[in-house]
Amino acid sequence: MTTIRQRRVEKGAEAAEDQPSEEKNVKPDGKILSDRTGGKLWNILSITVGGIVAISLGLLTSVYVATLHENDLWFSNIKEVEREISFRTECGLYYSYYKQMIQAASIQQGLHGLVYDNKTESVRTINILERMNVYQEVFLSILYRILPIQQYLEPVYFYIYTLFGLQAVYVIALYVTSWLLSGTWLSGLLAACWYITNRIDTTRVEFTIPLRENWALPFFAVQIAAITYLLRPHLQPVQERLTLMAVFIATFLFSLTWQFNQFMMLIQALALFILDCFDMLPTAKVMSLYIIQISGLLLVCVLQFFNSMILGSLLISFNASVLIARTIQKNLKKGGLLNRLGKLILHVLLVLCLTLLTNKLIKKILNLESDEHIFKFLKAKFGFGATRDFDANLYLCEEAFGLLPLNTFSRLSDTLLFYVYVFVLFLMTVEAAIVAFQNLSGSDQVQFLGKMEECTITLKPDAAYNLIHTVLFGCLALSTMRMKYLWTSHMCVFASFGLCSTEVWKLILKCIHLYTSQRTHVIKYSIPIITLLYISYKFWPGIMEELSELREFYDPDTVELMNWIKSNTPNTAVFAGSMQLLAGVKLCTGRTLTNHPHYEDKNLRERTKQIYQIYAKRSPEDVYRILRSFGTDYMILEDSICYERRHSRGCRLRDLLDIANGHIMDGLGENEPDLKPSLYPRFCEEIKKNLPSYTIHFTRVFQNKTFHVYKLAKHK
């Protein structure tokens, strides 16, 4: 198994909304004197200082995560095979295509090898560019080949430095979003500091570098910043067109780099739909965003050789249905409260029915089943019946797809982030509910709200969007831990915006009858500064200590296995084993695989389940027949899977296989009544006894403390 062994706020000028009011004095000759010149200079100074701080914090974050990566692994000193092994599981698979493009005789041959790939899945030729989101690896490899940097920078460093550089883009985008919402770059500074001090819960880029979300989330943050700017009132037509272009580019890049893009953007589309229904966003802009989402996804679909999973996505069906429904129901936002509620319910039902019908029709036409495992997983996760489906249970038993652990909130509370977030979220949710009720009632002077008039404020469209965004992505994170990085980073933005917002403090002070403009400004700046000082005092020593810790990558068993494979097996050899290990085999040795961790294909899922029978209770003849049907030459067994203790009973891989095969599970505990004892012992245990019924098909050719490699006999 892989192990690791031991071996800095200034206050500046603020945003435009805080500049002195423009008082005009009229001279006897009729000339008007104003503060416009001074205001413009103040604006320029504020933007300049804020921009410098944003770029500085972004670069510092990149250096920070790069240093942590180096310190944890001693990456600059370890061997090439150890560097590649450090790209664990699916990360190694993605990086292998970058390596393949770099080592190809030409760019054209490299692309041909990806489009007609026969080494990722044995006895099958697949199109990697269609099946996987690896255009980023293709682009980087081409860039590395054409730039004159080969003598100064190794390919692996060009790759990881690019991803660490994207962290600068990520932090700057979060900073800008918070700045746009609050009107002061102090808010952006606080958001960036929270992002860094909550690094464990906001990013994992330093140890899962090639993971698709590390490529995609910076572009998603840029898209959110662009949408936030787009929703500001009184934009000039040129500004609006440029912003829409920025949204489109960011949406396209986000979609291109992550296979789960459609699900994230579906949640974003739902946020826009909710806000549009309650008349909290300009309808024209919302329609433009729907079209941008569809256009971005369809462009990715074209680049991925018309990937059917994209065409059959719920996002395209939902957005198309909303556009059709809005065309049919043109008077959705007219009438009194009951009239509008009736229209709204009808609108929601129409969109829902159109979405389901459209999606089902597309999937039937395309015969699409690539994403069925996700819906099986969701159905079982939310209690709509137990399942024996192997793929669904494989997801259900992974910690990353479980509920968000409670200790996450204690860590976020240590930096005050969670407390501030809940405080701001509560205030903004109440305000949003009031504004939604006012909008539906068709009047700003609702009798019920008359007494609360002094306590209400107008909810700006950009704030409303970010509110719904954080609520929906918060629900996603709470239900699925792996998606918390979408929420926690935006949590930093939303909490810092609320703490630095004039509107929020104005509302609070009015409600307790203490409002004055001066008092609002004092609180707006003093509390964020105090928070920054607290964070710096409490966490700066820990960050310095973390940066001083020196460790070293240490996984001798896997290194020994990879070196043996390279030295003792032919280049054309086909290997079977666990998905995670085989990704490393492909990267380190270039051998052909039977299966791999990119799970978004029905045939691959079926193949993986069959390969995994090496850990089930099956006869040696059955296992041999299955492996040879996929052209397997060598099989790798892992003790950590065969004798797994990481998961509890019922979630170990061998238990999932037993349940899927209808067999009783090992160990003490209950079994479902219709499960039967197997006629055969567990294959991965029994094969080690070297019984004749096994040695006739399998010969052990390599063994260490972790891995056992068997060569398959080639019977006629």
Side-chain angles (χ1 to χ4, degrees):
M1 293 178 65
T2 302
T3 60
I4 300 294
R5 63 181 182 183
Q6 196 67 31
R7 78 155 180 97
R8 303 173 208 183
V9 182
E10 70 180 52
K11 181 180 176 183
E14 300 303 328
E17 81 164 27
D18 304 318
Q19 62 189 340
S21 60
E22 297 182 2
E23 297 179 1
K24 299 181 181 180
N25 300 309
V26 182
K27 280 188 151 187
D29 59 1
K31 292 183 179 178
I32 298 174
L33 298 177
S34 71
D35 292 340
R36 287 181 180 174
T37 303
K40 287 181 179 178
L41 289 174
W42 185 265
N43 232 350
I44 293 170
L45 179 62
S46 173
I47 292 172
T48 302
V49 173
I52 292 171
V53 173
I55 294 170
S56 301
L57 282 170
L59 293 174
L60 282 172
T61 305
S62 293
V63 173
Y64 175 52
V65 293
T67 304
L68 289 177
H69 176 258
E70 171 63 25
N71 289 356
D72 277 347
L73 302 178
W74 205 5
F75 200 74
S76 60
N77 193 67
I78 58 179
K79 299 175 182 177
E80 185 67 20
V81 64
E82 292 175 309
R83 291 177 178 175
E84 293 177 347
I85 292 171
S86 71
F87 297 137
R88 302 176 183 90
T89 64
E90 61 186 290
C91 298
L93 182 68
Y94 298 131
Y95 183 77
S96 72
Y97 299 117
Y98 171 77
K99 179 182 177 181
Q100 182 177 325
M101 284 289 295
I102 292 287
Q103 294 179 345
S106 66
I107 293 173
Q108 290 78 9
Q109 287 189 19
L111 290 171
H112 185 273
L114 294 180
V115 175
Y116 301 97
D117 179 277
N118 52 20
K119 296 182 75 69
T120 302
E121 295 177 18
S122 58
V123 300
R124 190 181 182 194
T125 298
I126 63 173
N127 185 341
I128 298 299
L129 296 181
E130 176 193 354
R131 285 270 298 277
M132 305 181 196
N133 298 70
V134 294
Y135 269 101
Q136 50 268 50
E137 276 76 22
V138 172
F139 174 75
L140 268 195
S141 63
I142 294 173
L143 202 59
Y144 182 80
R145 294 178 71 122
I146 63 177
L147 291 176
I149 58 174
Q150 288 87 345
Q151 296 179 351
Y152 314 104
L153 196 65
E154 296 176 61
V156 67
Y157 278 107
F158 184 65
Y159 186 90
I160 66 173
Y161 286 166
T162 299
L163 271 153
F164 292 144
L166 276 177
Q167 282 294 296
V169 176
Y170 198 2
V171 170
I172 291 170
L174 298 176
Y175 181 107
V176 169
T177 304
S178 190
W179 185 359
L180 288 170
L181 288 168
S182 66
T184 169
W185 58 260
L186 181 63
S187 173
L189 174 60
L190 182 56
C193 289
W194 263 330
Y195 177 85
I196 295 168
T197 53
N198 291 282
R199 175 185 56 81
I200 293 174
D201 295 299
T202 56
T203 183
R204 51 179 173 166
V205 66
E206 74 274 12
F207 60 90
T208 59
I209 300 173
L211 208 60
R212 301 300 83 180
E213 65 197 55
N214 294 330
W215 284 98
L217 292 185
F219 300 123
F220 194 51
V222 171
Q223 188 225 40
I224 295 168
I227 291 175
T228 301
Y229 184 77
L230 176 70
L231 295 176
R232 291 161 71 93
H234 312 305
L235 286 184
Q236 298 295 324
V238 174
Q239 293 175 312
E240 189 169 320
R241 284 195 293 270
L242 289 174
T243 307
L244 285 170
M245 180 61 69
V247 173
F248 173 77
I249 293 171
T251 301
F252 166 70
L253 292 173
F254 169 69
S255 303
L256 189 66
T257 51
W258 196 14
Q259 69 268 30
F260 292 145
N261 61 74
Q262 53 181 288
F263 304 106
M264 305 306 107
M265 288 201 296
L266 177 61
I267 294 174
Q268 189 178 62
L270 285 172
L272 295 170
F273 179 72
I274 293 168
L275 292 168
D276 184 42
C277 285
F278 290 110
D279 204 14
M280 300 170 82
L281 293 183
T283 300
K285 291 183 179 180
V286 172
M287 296 300 108
S288 297
L289 291 172
Y290 285 143
I291 293 169
I292 283 175
Q293 284 190 333
I294 294 175
S295 303
L297 209 56
L298 289 178
L299 181 54
V300 171
C301 181
V302 171
L303 287 174
Q304 290 193 267
F305 296 80
F306 297 94
N307 185 312
S308 59
M309 189 174 175
I310 296 176
L311 292 173
S313 67
L314 272 174
L315 176 68
I316 289 181
S317 301
F318 177 79
N319 285 9
S321 299
V322 174
L323 293 173
I324 293 169
R326 286 309 302 266
T327 304
I328 297 171
Q329 295 178 290
K330 295 181 179 180
N331 298 321
L332 189 63
K333 298 182 179 181
K334 293 182 180 180
L337 178 61
L338 294 177
N339 192 3
R340 288 195 62 176
L341 280 175
K343 290 180 180 179
L344 192 57
I345 293 170
L346 183 62
H347 181 64
V348 172
L349 290 174
L350 179 60
V351 170
L352 181 62
C353 293
L354 276 174
T355 299
L356 295 176
L357 288 172
T358 304
N359 193 252
K360 190 171 183 178
L361 181 63
I362 292 173
K363 287 185 174 180
K364 191 170 184 64
I365 293 172
L366 298 176
N367 194 27
L368 178 62
E369 297 176 309
S370 299
D371 57 356
E372 63 176 3
H373 64 300
I374 297 174
F375 295 104
K376 288 180 182 177
F377 159 71
L378 292 174
K379 182 180 176 181
K381 183 179 179 66
F382 294 111
F384 295 104
T387 180
R388 290 184 181 176
D389 184 78
F390 175 76
D391 303 318
N393 284 328
L394 200 61
Y395 280 107
L396 286 169
C397 288
E398 279 300 319
E399 185 183 3
F401 291 94
L403 300 177
L404 189 67
L406 293 177
N407 60 9
T408 305
F409 302 109
S410 62
R411 288 194 301 270
L412 295 173
S413 299
D414 286 343
T415 62
L416 304 180
L417 172 60
F418 187 65
Y419 297 130
V420 175
Y421 176 78
V422 171
F423 169 70
V424 176
L425 184 63
F426 173 76
L427 288 176
M428 298 298 291
T429 302
V430 171
E431 182 62 24
I434 294 170
V435 171
F437 185 74
Q438 288 177 334
N439 290 346
L440 287 178
S441 301
S443 172
D444 293 332
Q445 302 295 329
V446 182
Q447 186 176 359
F448 173 74
L449 299 170
K451 295 180 181 179
M452 298 181 61
E453 187 175 354
E454 290 187 0
C455 297
T456 59
I457 60 171
T458 302
L459 188 63
K460 296 178 180 178
D462 53 358
Y465 167 74
N466 280 274
L467 169 64
I468 301 299
H469 180 101
T470 198
V471 168
L472 293 183
F473 279 95
C475 294
L476 178 66
L478 291 171
S479 66
T480 308
M481 190 188 76
R482 181 176 177 177
M483 299 303 171
K484 73 175 180 179
Y485 303 101
L486 287 153
W487 183 44
T488 51
S489 58
H490 194 265
M491 188 187 288
C492 300
V493 171
F494 196 76
S496 60
F497 143 64
L499 215 57
C500 299
S501 170
T502 301
E503 287 83 0
V504 169
W505 291 115
K506 183 177 178 181
L507 171 66
I508 295 170
L509 292 175
K510 276 192 172 185
C511 287
I512 59 176
H513 306 291
L514 291 175
Y515 171 72
T516 65
S517 178
Q518 294 79 5
R519 192 172 288 153
T520 303
H521 276 68
V522 169
I523 295 175
K524 171 182 173 177
Y525 296 126
S526 60
I527 291 184
I529 290 172
I530 292 170
T531 305
L532 282 167
L533 291 173
Y534 168 80
I535 293 171
S536 302
Y537 173 76
K538 185 171 182 179
F539 294 98
W540 183 257
I543 290 174
M544 290 297 100
E545 183 180 350
E546 186 180 36
L547 289 171
S548 66
E549 281 189 39
L550 300 177
R551 302 181 182 182
E552 180 183 358
F553 178 86
Y554 186 70
D555 189 0
D557 289 350
T558 307
V559 171
E560 184 184 12
L561 171 66
M562 298 305 172
N563 286 333
W564 181 87
I565 291 174
K566 286 194 287 187
S567 302
N568 297 277
T569 64
N571 293 334
T572 56
V574 178
F575 279 80
S578 69
M579 297 183 288
Q580 294 79 5
L581 179 63
L582 290 184
V585 170
K586 184 181 187 307
L587 171 58
C588 297
T589 71
R591 301 305 188 261
T592 304
L593 314 179
T594 55
N595 54 309
H596 55 81
H598 193 272
Y599 220 48
E600 277 63 57
D601 180 77
K602 184 180 180 182
N603 290 328
L604 176 66
R605 293 194 294 271
E606 288 294 329
R607 176 186 284 228
T608 298
K609 180 182 174 182
Q610 291 300 308
I611 296 295
Y612 275 5
Q613 297 303 312
I614 60 179
Y615 296 108
K617 298 172 182 176
R618 299 290 293 268
S619 69
E621 292 79 17
D622 282 348
V623 174
Y624 177 80
R625 175 181 51 79
I626 290 169
L627 294 179
R628 285 302 298 163
S629 70
F630 299 119
T632 307
D633 298 311
Y634 296 87
M635 169 187 66
I636 308 175
L637 290 174
E638 301 170 62
D639 286 345
S640 59
I641 298 179
C642 189
Y643 307 106
E644 182 183 358
R645 293 180 177 87
R646 184 169 69 95
H647 290 106
S648 60
R649 184 177 183 270
C651 265
R652 300 169 298 191
L653 179 62
R654 62 179 186 266
D655 296 336
L656 303 184
L657 290 163
D658 289 343
I659 293 170
N661 292 340
H663 297 154
I664 291 174
M665 294 182 288
D666 293 338
L668 298 175
E670 295 182 359
N671 288 282
E672 294 185 31
D674 60 330
L675 294 178
K676 308 295 182 185
S678 174
L679 298 174
Y680 304 99
R682 194 164 305 281
F683 177 84
C684 63
E685 295 176 356
E686 199 72 7
I687 192 174
K688 295 170 185 174
K689 298 178 182 178
N690 291 322
L691 299 174
S693 57
Y694 288 83
T695 56
I696 192 174
H697 301 298
F698 306 96
T699 304
R700 186 161 57 199
V701 291
F702 174 84
Q703 176 184 3
N704 62 22
K705 290 182 293 183
T706 306
F707 306 104
H708 303 261
V709 180
Y710 292 85
K711 185 175 182 179
L712 275 69
K714 294 187 178 180
H715 302 311
K716 292 184 179 179

